[in-house]
Amino acid sequence: SQQGEEDPQALSIQEGENATMNCSYKTSINNLQWYRQNSGRGLVHLILIRSNEREKHSGRLRVTLDTSKKSSSLLITASRAADTASYFCATDVRGGTSYGKLTFGQGTILTVHP
Amino acid sequence: NAGVMQNPRHLVRRRGQEARLRCSPMKGHSHVYWYRQLPEEGLKFMVYLQKENIIDESGMPKERFSAEFPKEGPSILRIQQVVRGDSAAYFCASSPHGGGLNTGELFFGEGSRLTVL
């Protein structure tokens, strides 16, 4: 599997439900970030969690990080139709020249039905 | 406060032509990154530049691709003699400071979508 691999590849839910996306990675990281991409648009940063953090909240978003399992999850609570987008995790790999060289997964396509 | 500006948003080229993609970072940002996104895939790092310097081009194909970030003006990603496999969305991102050993949030532009006929 690749560094920063999301699961599931696609998720379809009803408005008001919670959406959970998972990300696994292979190497040690400085931090892990989640981005959102609407169709045909650029990426928007959602949240960053550092390697020494276990959980972080931002509005309706909750991110967890388990460095022992090399995995992270993104929870969107009380989803809205406007949350429909692709969600990517990106890892900042520890060591070497990690100058903005984020490693992105292939993303989870979230569809929220009104 | 304008975000990262990329142009053109869409570019069509025939095989063998040249493609030039431009990126103006956010105001106050001196670090620029280029990423490529193939259809249905995540972004792949290409190159990291500061003003007048290429810091890391480890993700850049060895041939036909070049990037610059001159003292004045936008960053340019240049693809010579394009082939169909170059068709992709090319995203530019900027940050106010370099990653060093810890990359923070990147601010992305809307992307330039290159189609090679």
Side-chain angles (χ1 to χ4, degrees), chain A residues 30-31 41 92 98 100-101, chain B residues 35 48 56 58 101-103 110:
Chain A
N30 292 315
N31 65 63
R41 306 295 298 273
D92 175 27
S98 59
K101 193 190 301 184
Chain B
Y35 283 78
Y48 160 46
D56 184 341
S58 58
L101 295 178
N102 209 324
T103 301
E110 293 287 297

Side-chain angles (χ1 to χ4, degrees), chain A residues 10-13 19 21 76 79 83-87 108-112:
Chain A
L11 181 60
S12 182
I13 59 174
M21 288 159 270
I76 304 174
S79 63
D83 294 330
T84 295
S86 293
Y87 292 82
T108 292
I109 300 171
L110 173 65
T111 303
V112 182

Side-chain angles (χ1 to χ4, degrees), chain A residues 41-94:
Chain A
R41 306 295 298 273
L43 276 75
V44 175
H45 182 266
L46 295 177
I47 198 165
L48 180 154
I49 186 165
R50 301 194 187 284
S51 60
N52 60 353
E53 297 176 310
R54 291 297 166 258
E55 188 171 313
K56 206 160 183 181
H57 297 254
S58 177
R60 293 185 295 114
L61 304 180
R62 172 177 169 252
V63 169
T64 62
L65 179 64
D66 187 335
T67 53
S68 66
K69 294 181 180 178
K70 291 186 168 57
S71 67
S72 172
S73 68
L74 171 67
L75 168 67
I76 304 174
T77 60
S79 63
R80 306 166 181 166
D83 294 330
T84 295
S86 293
Y87 292 82
F88 295 91
C89 70
T91 51
D92 175 27
V93 175
R94 185 185 299 276

Side-chain angles (χ1 to χ4, degrees), chain B residues 64-75:
Chain B
R64 301 188 297 108
F65 285 71
S66 62
E68 62 176 9
F69 189 16
K71 188 176 180 180
E72 302 290 338
S75 174

Side-chain angles (χ1 to χ4, degrees), chain B residues 1-19:
Chain B
N1 187 12
V4 177
M5 304 300 293
Q6 290 189 248
N7 68 82
R9 290 291 309 279
H10 299 275
L11 183 63
V12 179
R13 284 287 179 266
R14 297 192 180 279
R15 281 178 295 170
Q17 292 184 319
E18 179 179 290

Side-chain angles (χ1 to χ4, degrees), chain A residues 35 41-44 100 104, chain B residues 3-8 21-26 29-37 43-44 46-49 67-69 74-77 89-95 106-113:
Chain A
Y35 287 81
R41 306 295 298 273
L43 276 75
V44 175
F104 285 83
Chain B
V4 177
M5 304 300 293
Q6 290 189 248
N7 68 82
L21 311 177
R22 288 175 290 278
C23 169
S24 296
M26 283 184 71
H29 290 193
S30 58
H31 302 264
V32 165
Y33 314 85
W34 286 93
Y35 283 78
R36 177 165 65 175
Q37 184 178 35
L43 276 69
K44 296 287 192 293
M46 297 182 75
V47 62
Y48 160 46
L49 310 104
E68 62 176 9
F69 189 16
S75 174
I76 306 284
L77 179 67
Y90 291 84
F91 288 94
C92 172
S94 72
S95 69
L106 296 184
F107 296 81
F108 282 87
E110 293 287 297
S112 291
R113 281 150 185 82

